[in-house]
Amino acid sequence: MLIAPGLLYCLAPAVANRVEPRLLGIPFLVAYLIIVTILTGPVIWLAARLDPAYRSGAAEFVPADAGDEGEIQR
């Protein structure tokens, strides 16, 4: 799922590289990029919610919680 937004950005020149039609006065390529950008957030949210670690309630690893292992040794 997380590959889709990146792929849509990469395909923009091939799929949407034209000025007409205009959407709300915005060239099609710009409108396409705005729409993909807006849709990226919900896709990432959905991918996170479908992650088995999220559903099981597993604790998320935070490097600051590692204790002495994360400190700089002198």
Side-chain angles (χ1 to χ4, degrees), residues 25 33-34 52 64:
L33 292 174
I34 290 170

Side-chain angles (χ1 to χ4, degrees), residues 27-67:
F28 186 69
L29 177 60
V30 176
Y32 175 86
L33 292 174
I34 290 170
I35 292 168
V36 170
T37 301
I38 291 171
L39 291 177
T40 298
V43 168
I44 292 172
W45 176 84
L46 184 61
R49 296 311 177 262
L50 294 176
D51 184 16
Y54 179 83
R55 289 186 303 198
S56 68
E60 182 178 345
F61 174 74
V62 179
D65 293 341

